[in-house]
Amino acid sequence: MASSGILRCFSKAGFRPIQALIKPNVPVRHLNLLEYQSKVLLDNHGVTVQRFRILDSHKGAVEASQELNAEEYVVKAQILAGGRGKGHFDNGFKGGVHLTKQCDEVEALVEKMVGHRLVTKQTPQEGILVNKVMVAESVDILRETYFCILMDRQHNGPVLIASPDGGMDIEEVAAKTPDRLLTLPIDIYQGLTDDVAGQVADFLNFKGDLRTKCMQEVKNIWNMFLNVDATQIEINPLIETPQGHVVAVDAKIQFDDNAEFRQKDIFGLEDFSESDPREVDAASHNLTYIGMDGNIGCLVNGAGLAMATMDIIKLHGGSPANFLDLGGGVQEHQVEHALRILTSDKTVKAIFINIFGGIVNTATIASGLVKVYTNTKIEVPLVVRLQGTNVDEAKRILAESGCPIQTASDLEEGAKKAVAAIS
């Protein structure tokens, strides 16, 4: 998940990365919310969305749909994956998105979804367990447009992007019809003014009362962008209805993970049920874990070194089981947690620790390793290659520890020893 580069907060369906339109890329964010959670945030900030209810059982489905009193209902399984409409459940039921006009049928649809695993092109082969279903009023779409606000380093601040061609890949619009794309940097001191909001409404071809409504939606989205510390709010599509409403039907929201201390309620919404528990465990200690299907665990610092470590293991006939990135400023307790996570994976038959100490003090790594060996029984071979800051002290700590740790002078020797340890 963390490597996808695009946060999935509303429905993933129909979205493509728009960062490619503005260089350099916005940093990757990792908070994932379900569709209904994002819809609640939008509604709380005055953005017009479909009325909806959330159900964790078929019981009460009829009452919930009667409360909505809609001419037609859309019933949507809530998981963090796109392609739900074309997916299938482990009970043989087809489709994670359905339309119906009957309240009784809403109940039957919810019963077939909740508690069953939904398989789509973006889920694991076994699918993802559906715990919640959203029942919403279905809206008529007269016209679709596109609207987005995102932080952009090139412009040193927020940028507004709009297009009258909504509901399609914005990259395709930019490539084929660039005149259909409006890009406006927003002055962080002035904010999103009425003049800018009016310019957006005009570009999106909203007329009369709809122009005023669009302007208000744009300003509400901007206020939400500020209030929730967002790095991107993308509405695709922002629609016009035959009844004369402007509605945000689908959206994607990215948050600044450095603002977690200010947005505890939002970050507390994240659903980890679909995440690898090892990734969640690592993240709780400010570590990054990525699982694979080999048998050599890799403990590194830095993504570049992780790639090089896995490549050289493959070169010498091995297969990485994972990599765990310690990052910079690592402490002894993080080394302990990292080894605990790696050794808890029963597929791991050897561990290669490859650290280049720039910011990282290699003596801290060595002390952490020795402490783990002293307090924990590690049953797999451990190969360590340390270079950089305080490396002489690190080597002394390992040499005098009496622990059965193999050391290597360079990357290639370490990879060879890790592969040989399994052989």
PDB file of all heavy atoms in Angstrom, residues 278 289 291-298 310 313-314 316-323 342-343 345-352 379-382 415 417-423:
ATOM      1  N   ARG A 278       2.197  -6.562   9.881  1.00  0.00           N
ATOM      2  CA  ARG A 278       3.610  -6.235  10.068  1.00  0.00           C
ATOM      3  C   ARG A 278       3.891  -4.795   9.654  1.00  0.00           C
ATOM      4  O   ARG A 278       4.711  -4.113  10.281  1.00  0.00           O
ATOM      5  CB  ARG A 278       4.483  -7.215   9.282  1.00  0.00           C
ATOM      6  CG  ARG A 278       4.389  -8.651   9.764  1.00  0.00           C
ATOM      7  CD  ARG A 278       4.972  -9.630   8.776  1.00  0.00           C
ATOM      8  NE  ARG A 278       4.267  -9.611   7.497  1.00  0.00           N
ATOM      9  CZ  ARG A 278       4.521 -10.428   6.482  1.00  0.00           C
ATOM     10  NH1 ARG A 278       5.463 -11.347   6.607  1.00  0.00           N
ATOM     11  NH2 ARG A 278       3.830 -10.351   5.362  1.00  0.00           N
ATOM     12  N   TYR A 289       7.902  -1.158   6.606  1.00  0.00           N
ATOM     13  CA  TYR A 289       8.025  -2.576   6.277  1.00  0.00           C
ATOM     14  C   TYR A 289       7.291  -2.860   4.977  1.00  0.00           C
ATOM     15  O   TYR A 289       6.160  -2.431   4.779  1.00  0.00           O
ATOM     16  CB  TYR A 289       7.429  -3.435   7.398  1.00  0.00           C
ATOM     17  CG  TYR A 289       7.459  -4.920   7.121  1.00  0.00           C
ATOM     18  CD1 TYR A 289       8.512  -5.708   7.580  1.00  0.00           C
ATOM     19  CD2 TYR A 289       6.443  -5.531   6.391  1.00  0.00           C
ATOM     20  CE1 TYR A 289       8.539  -7.074   7.321  1.00  0.00           C
ATOM     21  CE2 TYR A 289       6.468  -6.887   6.123  1.00  0.00           C
ATOM     22  CZ  TYR A 289       7.521  -7.648   6.590  1.00  0.00           C
ATOM     23  OH  TYR A 289       7.557  -9.000   6.325  1.00  0.00           O
ATOM     24  N   GLY A 291       6.500  -6.337   2.668  1.00  0.00           N
ATOM     25  CA  GLY A 291       6.627  -7.784   2.590  1.00  0.00           C
ATOM     26  C   GLY A 291       6.715  -8.283   1.162  1.00  0.00           C
ATOM     27  O   GLY A 291       6.122  -7.704   0.252  1.00  0.00           O
ATOM     28  N   MET A 292       7.485  -9.369   0.961  1.00  0.00           N
ATOM     29  CA  MET A 292       7.612 -10.017  -0.344  1.00  0.00           C
ATOM     30  C   MET A 292       7.510 -11.530  -0.145  1.00  0.00           C
ATOM     31  O   MET A 292       7.070 -11.976   0.910  1.00  0.00           O
ATOM     32  CB  MET A 292       8.917  -9.589  -1.012  1.00  0.00           C
ATOM     33  CG  MET A 292       8.830  -8.184  -1.608  1.00  0.00           C
ATOM     34  SD  MET A 292      10.433  -7.474  -2.007  1.00  0.00           S
ATOM     35  CE  MET A 292      11.002  -6.987  -0.391  1.00  0.00           C
ATOM     36  N   ASP A 293       7.950 -12.298  -1.130  1.00  0.00           N
ATOM     37  CA  ASP A 293       7.687 -13.739  -1.058  1.00  0.00           C
ATOM     38  C   ASP A 293       8.951 -14.591  -0.997  1.00  0.00           C
ATOM     39  O   ASP A 293       8.905 -15.781  -1.289  1.00  0.00           O
ATOM     40  CB  ASP A 293       6.831 -14.174  -2.252  1.00  0.00           C
ATOM     41  CG  ASP A 293       7.467 -13.810  -3.591  1.00  0.00           C
ATOM     42  OD1 ASP A 293       8.586 -13.256  -3.589  1.00  0.00           O
ATOM     43  OD2 ASP A 293       6.840 -14.077  -4.629  1.00  0.00           O
ATOM     44  N   GLY A 294      10.073 -13.998  -0.601  1.00  0.00           N
ATOM     45  CA  GLY A 294      11.319 -14.766  -0.509  1.00  0.00           C
ATOM     46  C   GLY A 294      11.568 -15.289   0.890  1.00  0.00           C
ATOM     47  O   GLY A 294      10.643 -15.485   1.685  1.00  0.00           O
ATOM     48  N   ASN A 295      12.864 -15.520   1.234  1.00  0.00           N
ATOM     49  CA  ASN A 295      13.188 -16.078   2.546  1.00  0.00           C
ATOM     50  C   ASN A 295      14.362 -15.396   3.243  1.00  0.00           C
ATOM     51  O   ASN A 295      14.849 -15.873   4.257  1.00  0.00           O
ATOM     52  CB  ASN A 295      13.458 -17.582   2.435  1.00  0.00           C
ATOM     53  CG  ASN A 295      14.530 -17.906   1.400  1.00  0.00           C
ATOM     54  OD1 ASN A 295      15.257 -17.030   0.930  1.00  0.00           O
ATOM     55  ND2 ASN A 295      14.629 -19.177   1.041  1.00  0.00           N
ATOM     56  N   ILE A 296      14.839 -14.257   2.698  1.00  0.00           N
ATOM     57  CA  ILE A 296      15.911 -13.494   3.348  1.00  0.00           C
ATOM     58  C   ILE A 296      15.359 -12.135   3.772  1.00  0.00           C
ATOM     59  O   ILE A 296      14.959 -11.319   2.937  1.00  0.00           O
ATOM     60  CB  ILE A 296      17.128 -13.291   2.417  1.00  0.00           C
ATOM     61  CG1 ILE A 296      17.735 -14.643   2.059  1.00  0.00           C
ATOM     62  CG2 ILE A 296      18.171 -12.398   3.091  1.00  0.00           C
ATOM     63  CD1 ILE A 296      18.919 -14.548   1.104  1.00  0.00           C
ATOM     64  N   GLY A 297      15.326 -11.903   5.071  1.00  0.00           N
ATOM     65  CA  GLY A 297      14.873 -10.618   5.585  1.00  0.00           C
ATOM     66  C   GLY A 297      15.954  -9.571   5.415  1.00  0.00           C
ATOM     67  O   GLY A 297      17.138  -9.855   5.604  1.00  0.00           O
ATOM     68  N   CYS A 298      15.558  -8.351   5.077  1.00  0.00           N
ATOM     69  CA  CYS A 298      16.505  -7.273   4.817  1.00  0.00           C
ATOM     70  C   CYS A 298      16.231  -6.100   5.750  1.00  0.00           C
ATOM     71  O   CYS A 298      15.138  -5.518   5.704  1.00  0.00           O
ATOM     72  CB  CYS A 298      16.409  -6.799   3.369  1.00  0.00           C
ATOM     73  SG  CYS A 298      16.641  -8.094   2.142  1.00  0.00           S
ATOM     74  N   MET A 310      18.260  -5.739  -2.142  1.00  0.00           N
ATOM     75  CA  MET A 310      17.421  -6.800  -2.712  1.00  0.00           C
ATOM     76  C   MET A 310      17.948  -7.254  -4.076  1.00  0.00           C
ATOM     77  O   MET A 310      17.932  -8.441  -4.395  1.00  0.00           O
ATOM     78  CB  MET A 310      15.974  -6.311  -2.829  1.00  0.00           C
ATOM     79  CG  MET A 310      15.307  -6.126  -1.468  1.00  0.00           C
ATOM     80  SD  MET A 310      13.540  -5.764  -1.591  1.00  0.00           S
ATOM     81  CE  MET A 310      13.601  -4.125  -2.305  1.00  0.00           C
ATOM     82  N   ILE A 313      21.024  -9.508  -3.563  1.00  0.00           N
ATOM     83  CA  ILE A 313      20.604 -10.815  -3.047  1.00  0.00           C
ATOM     84  C   ILE A 313      20.090 -11.681  -4.193  1.00  0.00           C
ATOM     85  O   ILE A 313      20.438 -12.863  -4.323  1.00  0.00           O
ATOM     86  CB  ILE A 313      19.525 -10.650  -1.953  1.00  0.00           C
ATOM     87  CG1 ILE A 313      20.165 -10.136  -0.657  1.00  0.00           C
ATOM     88  CG2 ILE A 313      18.806 -11.979  -1.688  1.00  0.00           C
ATOM     89  CD1 ILE A 313      19.168  -9.801   0.428  1.00  0.00           C
ATOM     90  N   LYS A 314      19.265 -11.094  -5.058  1.00  0.00           N
ATOM     91  CA  LYS A 314      18.764 -11.821  -6.225  1.00  0.00           C
ATOM     92  C   LYS A 314      19.907 -12.219  -7.155  1.00  0.00           C
ATOM     93  O   LYS A 314      19.915 -13.318  -7.719  1.00  0.00           O
ATOM     94  CB  LYS A 314      17.756 -10.949  -6.981  1.00  0.00           C
ATOM     95  CG  LYS A 314      16.468 -10.684  -6.233  1.00  0.00           C
ATOM     96  CD  LYS A 314      15.561 -11.891  -6.178  1.00  0.00           C
ATOM     97  CE  LYS A 314      14.931 -12.176  -7.514  1.00  0.00           C
ATOM     98  NZ  LYS A 314      13.932 -13.280  -7.444  1.00  0.00           N
ATOM     99  N   HIS A 316      22.860 -13.044  -6.458  1.00  0.00           N
ATOM    100  CA  HIS A 316      23.612 -14.183  -5.949  1.00  0.00           C
ATOM    101  C   HIS A 316      22.715 -15.380  -5.620  1.00  0.00           C
ATOM    102  O   HIS A 316      23.106 -16.277  -4.865  1.00  0.00           O
ATOM    103  CB  HIS A 316      24.423 -13.763  -4.728  1.00  0.00           C
ATOM    104  CG  HIS A 316      25.555 -12.838  -5.071  1.00  0.00           C
ATOM    105  ND1 HIS A 316      26.688 -13.253  -5.737  1.00  0.00           N
ATOM    106  CD2 HIS A 316      25.705 -11.496  -4.870  1.00  0.00           C
ATOM    107  CE1 HIS A 316      27.496 -12.217  -5.918  1.00  0.00           C
ATOM    108  NE2 HIS A 316      26.924 -11.144  -5.401  1.00  0.00           N
ATOM    109  N   GLY A 317      21.512 -15.389  -6.195  1.00  0.00           N
ATOM    110  CA  GLY A 317      20.669 -16.570  -6.103  1.00  0.00           C
ATOM    111  C   GLY A 317      19.706 -16.611  -4.945  1.00  0.00           C
ATOM    112  O   GLY A 317      19.031 -17.623  -4.736  1.00  0.00           O
ATOM    113  N   GLY A 318      19.618 -15.528  -4.177  1.00  0.00           N
ATOM    114  CA  GLY A 318      18.697 -15.492  -3.052  1.00  0.00           C
ATOM    115  C   GLY A 318      17.393 -14.820  -3.421  1.00  0.00           C
ATOM    116  O   GLY A 318      17.189 -14.379  -4.551  1.00  0.00           O
ATOM    117  N   SER A 319      16.492 -14.745  -2.442  1.00  0.00           N
ATOM    118  CA  SER A 319      15.187 -14.142  -2.676  1.00  0.00           C
ATOM    119  C   SER A 319      14.750 -13.364  -1.427  1.00  0.00           C
ATOM    120  O   SER A 319      14.592 -13.956  -0.356  1.00  0.00           O
ATOM    121  CB  SER A 319      14.151 -15.223  -3.000  1.00  0.00           C
ATOM    122  OG  SER A 319      12.893 -14.659  -3.247  1.00  0.00           O
ATOM    123  N   PRO A 320      14.575 -12.056  -1.557  1.00  0.00           N
ATOM    124  CA  PRO A 320      14.191 -11.243  -0.390  1.00  0.00           C
ATOM    125  C   PRO A 320      12.792 -11.591   0.111  1.00  0.00           C
ATOM    126  O   PRO A 320      11.862 -11.757  -0.676  1.00  0.00           O
ATOM    127  CB  PRO A 320      14.231  -9.808  -0.922  1.00  0.00           C
ATOM    128  CG  PRO A 320      15.013  -9.866  -2.189  1.00  0.00           C
ATOM    129  CD  PRO A 320      14.771 -11.225  -2.759  1.00  0.00           C
ATOM    130  N   ALA A 321      12.653 -11.713   1.420  1.00  0.00           N
ATOM    131  CA  ALA A 321      11.347 -11.961   2.024  1.00  0.00           C
ATOM    132  C   ALA A 321      10.641 -10.652   2.340  1.00  0.00           C
ATOM    133  O   ALA A 321       9.415 -10.615   2.480  1.00  0.00           O
ATOM    134  CB  ALA A 321      11.502 -12.771   3.307  1.00  0.00           C
ATOM    135  N   ASN A 322      11.419  -9.577   2.453  1.00  0.00           N
ATOM    136  CA  ASN A 322      10.866  -8.286   2.844  1.00  0.00           C
ATOM    137  C   ASN A 322      12.013  -7.276   2.889  1.00  0.00           C
ATOM    138  O   ASN A 322      13.179  -7.644   2.706  1.00  0.00           O
ATOM    139  CB  ASN A 322      10.218  -8.382   4.234  1.00  0.00           C
ATOM    140  CG  ASN A 322      11.119  -9.074   5.239  1.00  0.00           C
ATOM    141  OD1 ASN A 322      12.279  -8.707   5.420  1.00  0.00           O
ATOM    142  ND2 ASN A 322      10.593 -10.111   5.890  1.00  0.00           N
ATOM    143  N   PHE A 323      11.668  -6.023   3.134  1.00  0.00           N
ATOM    144  CA  PHE A 323      12.686  -5.113   3.635  1.00  0.00           C
ATOM    145  C   PHE A 323      12.062  -4.229   4.698  1.00  0.00           C
ATOM    146  O   PHE A 323      10.892  -3.872   4.629  1.00  0.00           O
ATOM    147  CB  PHE A 323      13.374  -4.309   2.521  1.00  0.00           C
ATOM    148  CG  PHE A 323      12.578  -3.167   1.952  1.00  0.00           C
ATOM    149  CD1 PHE A 323      12.492  -1.953   2.629  1.00  0.00           C
ATOM    150  CD2 PHE A 323      11.957  -3.278   0.730  1.00  0.00           C
ATOM    151  CE1 PHE A 323      11.785  -0.881   2.097  1.00  0.00           C
ATOM    152  CE2 PHE A 323      11.246  -2.221   0.192  1.00  0.00           C
ATOM    153  CZ  PHE A 323      11.158  -1.017   0.886  1.00  0.00           C
ATOM    154  N   LEU A 342      10.951  -8.893  11.866  1.00  0.00           N
ATOM    155  CA  LEU A 342      11.556  -9.751  10.842  1.00  0.00           C
ATOM    156  C   LEU A 342      11.554 -11.219  11.261  1.00  0.00           C
ATOM    157  O   LEU A 342      11.250 -12.099  10.465  1.00  0.00           O
ATOM    158  CB  LEU A 342      12.983  -9.290  10.550  1.00  0.00           C
ATOM    159  CG  LEU A 342      13.144  -7.956   9.810  1.00  0.00           C
ATOM    160  CD1 LEU A 342      14.615  -7.628   9.624  1.00  0.00           C
ATOM    161  CD2 LEU A 342      12.440  -7.985   8.463  1.00  0.00           C
ATOM    162  N   THR A 343      11.899 -11.473  12.491  1.00  0.00           N
ATOM    163  CA  THR A 343      11.996 -12.865  12.946  1.00  0.00           C
ATOM    164  C   THR A 343      10.622 -13.492  13.191  1.00  0.00           C
ATOM    165  O   THR A 343      10.505 -14.718  13.278  1.00  0.00           O
ATOM    166  CB  THR A 343      12.844 -12.974  14.227  1.00  0.00           C
ATOM    167  OG1 THR A 343      12.303 -12.086  15.232  1.00  0.00           O
ATOM    168  CG2 THR A 343      14.287 -12.599  13.957  1.00  0.00           C
ATOM    169  N   ASP A 345       8.319 -13.463  11.071  1.00  0.00           N
ATOM    170  CA  ASP A 345       7.912 -13.997   9.775  1.00  0.00           C
ATOM    171  C   ASP A 345       8.534 -15.380   9.600  1.00  0.00           C
ATOM    172  O   ASP A 345       9.754 -15.519   9.467  1.00  0.00           O
ATOM    173  CB  ASP A 345       8.373 -13.051   8.655  1.00  0.00           C
ATOM    174  CG  ASP A 345       7.858 -13.456   7.284  1.00  0.00           C
ATOM    175  OD1 ASP A 345       7.404 -14.612   7.136  1.00  0.00           O
ATOM    176  OD2 ASP A 345       7.912 -12.624   6.364  1.00  0.00           O
ATOM    177  N   LYS A 346       7.714 -16.413   9.607  1.00  0.00           N
ATOM    178  CA  LYS A 346       8.216 -17.789   9.572  1.00  0.00           C
ATOM    179  C   LYS A 346       8.873 -18.148   8.241  1.00  0.00           C
ATOM    180  O   LYS A 346       9.585 -19.153   8.148  1.00  0.00           O
ATOM    181  CB  LYS A 346       7.075 -18.770   9.860  1.00  0.00           C
ATOM    182  CG  LYS A 346       6.422 -18.552  11.221  1.00  0.00           C
ATOM    183  CD  LYS A 346       7.443 -18.586  12.351  1.00  0.00           C
ATOM    184  CE  LYS A 346       6.777 -18.364  13.704  1.00  0.00           C
ATOM    185  NZ  LYS A 346       7.781 -18.307  14.809  1.00  0.00           N
ATOM    186  N   THR A 347       8.648 -17.334   7.215  1.00  0.00           N
ATOM    187  CA  THR A 347       9.295 -17.615   5.926  1.00  0.00           C
ATOM    188  C   THR A 347      10.740 -17.136   5.903  1.00  0.00           C
ATOM    189  O   THR A 347      11.503 -17.514   5.013  1.00  0.00           O
ATOM    190  CB  THR A 347       8.532 -16.944   4.774  1.00  0.00           C
ATOM    191  OG1 THR A 347       8.603 -15.518   4.908  1.00  0.00           O
ATOM    192  CG2 THR A 347       7.079 -17.377   4.761  1.00  0.00           C
ATOM    193  N   VAL A 348      11.123 -16.298   6.859  1.00  0.00           N
ATOM    194  CA  VAL A 348      12.488 -15.755   6.904  1.00  0.00           C
ATOM    195  C   VAL A 348      13.442 -16.806   7.454  1.00  0.00           C
ATOM    196  O   VAL A 348      13.290 -17.283   8.582  1.00  0.00           O
ATOM    197  CB  VAL A 348      12.543 -14.472   7.769  1.00  0.00           C
ATOM    198  CG1 VAL A 348      13.984 -14.027   7.988  1.00  0.00           C
ATOM    199  CG2 VAL A 348      11.746 -13.354   7.107  1.00  0.00           C
ATOM    200  N   LYS A 349      14.445 -17.185   6.649  1.00  0.00           N
ATOM    201  CA  LYS A 349      15.427 -18.190   7.047  1.00  0.00           C
ATOM    202  C   LYS A 349      16.797 -17.591   7.324  1.00  0.00           C
ATOM    203  O   LYS A 349      17.684 -18.268   7.845  1.00  0.00           O
ATOM    204  CB  LYS A 349      15.549 -19.251   5.948  1.00  0.00           C
ATOM    205  CG  LYS A 349      14.227 -19.912   5.569  1.00  0.00           C
ATOM    206  CD  LYS A 349      13.538 -20.539   6.771  1.00  0.00           C
ATOM    207  CE  LYS A 349      12.213 -21.189   6.371  1.00  0.00           C
ATOM    208  NZ  LYS A 349      11.484 -21.724   7.558  1.00  0.00           N
ATOM    209  N   ALA A 350      16.988 -16.317   6.979  1.00  0.00           N
ATOM    210  CA  ALA A 350      18.229 -15.599   7.280  1.00  0.00           C
ATOM    211  C   ALA A 350      17.918 -14.110   7.199  1.00  0.00           C
ATOM    212  O   ALA A 350      16.959 -13.695   6.529  1.00  0.00           O
ATOM    213  CB  ALA A 350      19.336 -15.955   6.299  1.00  0.00           C
ATOM    214  N   ILE A 351      18.728 -13.305   7.887  1.00  0.00           N
ATOM    215  CA  ILE A 351      18.531 -11.853   7.887  1.00  0.00           C
ATOM    216  C   ILE A 351      19.833 -11.166   7.487  1.00  0.00           C
ATOM    217  O   ILE A 351      20.902 -11.480   8.022  1.00  0.00           O
ATOM    218  CB  ILE A 351      18.071 -11.347   9.269  1.00  0.00           C
ATOM    219  CG1 ILE A 351      16.701 -11.943   9.620  1.00  0.00           C
ATOM    220  CG2 ILE A 351      17.999  -9.822   9.293  1.00  0.00           C
ATOM    221  CD1 ILE A 351      16.233 -11.596  11.020  1.00  0.00           C
ATOM    222  N   PHE A 352      19.725 -10.260   6.532  1.00  0.00           N
ATOM    223  CA  PHE A 352      20.876  -9.467   6.088  1.00  0.00           C
ATOM    224  C   PHE A 352      20.639  -8.031   6.540  1.00  0.00           C
ATOM    225  O   PHE A 352      19.704  -7.367   6.101  1.00  0.00           O
ATOM    226  CB  PHE A 352      21.019  -9.547   4.569  1.00  0.00           C
ATOM    227  CG  PHE A 352      22.199  -8.778   4.017  1.00  0.00           C
ATOM    228  CD1 PHE A 352      23.281  -8.454   4.813  1.00  0.00           C
ATOM    229  CD2 PHE A 352      22.213  -8.383   2.688  1.00  0.00           C
ATOM    230  CE1 PHE A 352      24.365  -7.752   4.305  1.00  0.00           C
ATOM    231  CE2 PHE A 352      23.288  -7.686   2.163  1.00  0.00           C
ATOM    232  CZ  PHE A 352      24.376  -7.369   2.970  1.00  0.00           C
ATOM    233  N   GLU A 379      16.751 -17.613  15.983  1.00  0.00           N
ATOM    234  CA  GLU A 379      17.084 -18.936  15.464  1.00  0.00           C
ATOM    235  C   GLU A 379      17.504 -18.923  14.006  1.00  0.00           C
ATOM    236  O   GLU A 379      17.737 -19.990  13.430  1.00  0.00           O
ATOM    237  CB  GLU A 379      15.882 -19.870  15.649  1.00  0.00           C
ATOM    238  CG  GLU A 379      15.503 -20.067  17.119  1.00  0.00           C
ATOM    239  CD  GLU A 379      14.304 -20.971  17.286  1.00  0.00           C
ATOM    240  OE1 GLU A 379      13.632 -21.232  16.270  1.00  0.00           O
ATOM    241  OE2 GLU A 379      14.053 -21.422  18.419  1.00  0.00           O
ATOM    242  N   VAL A 380      17.601 -17.755  13.392  1.00  0.00           N
ATOM    243  CA  VAL A 380      18.021 -17.691  11.987  1.00  0.00           C
ATOM    244  C   VAL A 380      19.378 -16.994  11.909  1.00  0.00           C
ATOM    245  O   VAL A 380      19.711 -16.170  12.755  1.00  0.00           O
ATOM    246  CB  VAL A 380      16.989 -16.926  11.125  1.00  0.00           C
ATOM    247  CG1 VAL A 380      15.662 -17.648  11.122  1.00  0.00           C
ATOM    248  CG2 VAL A 380      16.818 -15.492  11.601  1.00  0.00           C
ATOM    249  N   PRO A 381      20.191 -17.346  10.896  1.00  0.00           N
ATOM    250  CA  PRO A 381      21.498 -16.700  10.730  1.00  0.00           C
ATOM    251  C   PRO A 381      21.340 -15.188  10.505  1.00  0.00           C
ATOM    252  O   PRO A 381      20.401 -14.739   9.844  1.00  0.00           O
ATOM    253  CB  PRO A 381      22.081 -17.378   9.490  1.00  0.00           C
ATOM    254  CG  PRO A 381      21.320 -18.650   9.348  1.00  0.00           C
ATOM    255  CD  PRO A 381      19.959 -18.386   9.882  1.00  0.00           C
ATOM    256  N   LEU A 382      22.297 -14.445  11.061  1.00  0.00           N
ATOM    257  CA  LEU A 382      22.272 -12.986  10.964  1.00  0.00           C
ATOM    258  C   LEU A 382      23.588 -12.509  10.362  1.00  0.00           C
ATOM    259  O   LEU A 382      24.664 -12.785  10.903  1.00  0.00           O
ATOM    260  CB  LEU A 382      22.071 -12.384  12.353  1.00  0.00           C
ATOM    261  CG  LEU A 382      21.729 -10.904  12.451  1.00  0.00           C
ATOM    262  CD1 LEU A 382      20.386 -10.629  11.780  1.00  0.00           C
ATOM    263  CD2 LEU A 382      21.680 -10.467  13.907  1.00  0.00           C
ATOM    264  N   ALA A 415      25.805 -10.121   0.960  1.00  0.00           N
ATOM    265  CA  ALA A 415      24.771 -10.826   0.195  1.00  0.00           C
ATOM    266  C   ALA A 415      25.139 -12.297   0.005  1.00  0.00           C
ATOM    267  O   ALA A 415      24.296 -13.186   0.151  1.00  0.00           O
ATOM    268  CB  ALA A 415      24.553 -10.145  -1.136  1.00  0.00           C
ATOM    269  N   LYS A 417      27.071 -14.128   1.890  1.00  0.00           N
ATOM    270  CA  LYS A 417      26.984 -14.837   3.165  1.00  0.00           C
ATOM    271  C   LYS A 417      25.529 -15.108   3.555  1.00  0.00           C
ATOM    272  O   LYS A 417      25.192 -16.178   4.091  1.00  0.00           O
ATOM    273  CB  LYS A 417      27.663 -14.025   4.270  1.00  0.00           C
ATOM    274  CG  LYS A 417      29.184 -14.066   4.215  1.00  0.00           C
ATOM    275  CD  LYS A 417      29.803 -13.396   5.430  1.00  0.00           C
ATOM    276  CE  LYS A 417      31.326 -13.556   5.458  1.00  0.00           C
ATOM    277  NZ  LYS A 417      31.923 -12.945   6.650  1.00  0.00           N
ATOM    278  N   ALA A 418      24.628 -14.157   3.267  1.00  0.00           N
ATOM    279  CA  ALA A 418      23.213 -14.353   3.595  1.00  0.00           C
ATOM    280  C   ALA A 418      22.621 -15.493   2.771  1.00  0.00           C
ATOM    281  O   ALA A 418      21.882 -16.334   3.297  1.00  0.00           O
ATOM    282  CB  ALA A 418      22.442 -13.049   3.354  1.00  0.00           C
ATOM    283  N   VAL A 419      22.953 -15.526   1.480  1.00  0.00           N
ATOM    284  CA  VAL A 419      22.454 -16.604   0.612  1.00  0.00           C
ATOM    285  C   VAL A 419      23.047 -17.947   1.024  1.00  0.00           C
ATOM    286  O   VAL A 419      22.355 -18.956   1.098  1.00  0.00           O
ATOM    287  CB  VAL A 419      22.768 -16.299  -0.867  1.00  0.00           C
ATOM    288  CG1 VAL A 419      22.380 -17.468  -1.744  1.00  0.00           C
ATOM    289  CG2 VAL A 419      22.029 -15.030  -1.317  1.00  0.00           C
ATOM    290  N   ALA A 420      24.359 -17.939   1.342  1.00  0.00           N
ATOM    291  CA  ALA A 420      25.038 -19.169   1.736  1.00  0.00           C
ATOM    292  C   ALA A 420      24.500 -19.700   3.051  1.00  0.00           C
ATOM    293  O   ALA A 420      24.463 -20.901   3.291  1.00  0.00           O
ATOM    294  CB  ALA A 420      26.540 -18.934   1.829  1.00  0.00           C
ATOM    295  N   ALA A 421      24.068 -18.800   3.947  1.00  0.00           N
ATOM    296  CA  ALA A 421      23.555 -19.211   5.246  1.00  0.00           C
ATOM    297  C   ALA A 421      22.319 -20.076   5.109  1.00  0.00           C
ATOM    298  O   ALA A 421      22.072 -20.971   5.924  1.00  0.00           O
ATOM    299  CB  ALA A 421      23.249 -17.981   6.100  1.00  0.00           C
ATOM    300  N   ILE A 422      21.543 -19.832   4.059  1.00  0.00           N
ATOM    301  CA  ILE A 422      20.349 -20.635   3.819  1.00  0.00           C
ATOM    302  C   ILE A 422      20.712 -21.936   3.128  1.00  0.00           C
ATOM    303  O   ILE A 422      20.181 -23.004   3.430  1.00  0.00           O
ATOM    304  CB  ILE A 422      19.333 -19.845   2.967  1.00  0.00           C
ATOM    305  CG1 ILE A 422      18.837 -18.641   3.765  1.00  0.00           C
ATOM    306  CG2 ILE A 422      18.170 -20.719   2.537  1.00  0.00           C
ATOM    307  CD1 ILE A 422      17.898 -17.747   2.999  1.00  0.00           C
ATOM    308  N   SER A 423      21.662 -21.849   2.197  1.00  0.00           N
ATOM    309  CA  SER A 423      22.077 -23.044   1.459  1.00  0.00           C
ATOM    310  C   SER A 423      22.641 -24.087   2.390  1.00  0.00           C
ATOM    311  O   SER A 423      22.438 -25.286   2.209  1.00  0.00           O
ATOM    312  CB  SER A 423      23.103 -22.666   0.407  1.00  0.00           C
ATOM    313  OG  SER A 423      22.571 -21.718  -0.494  1.00  0.00           O
TER     314      SER A 423
END
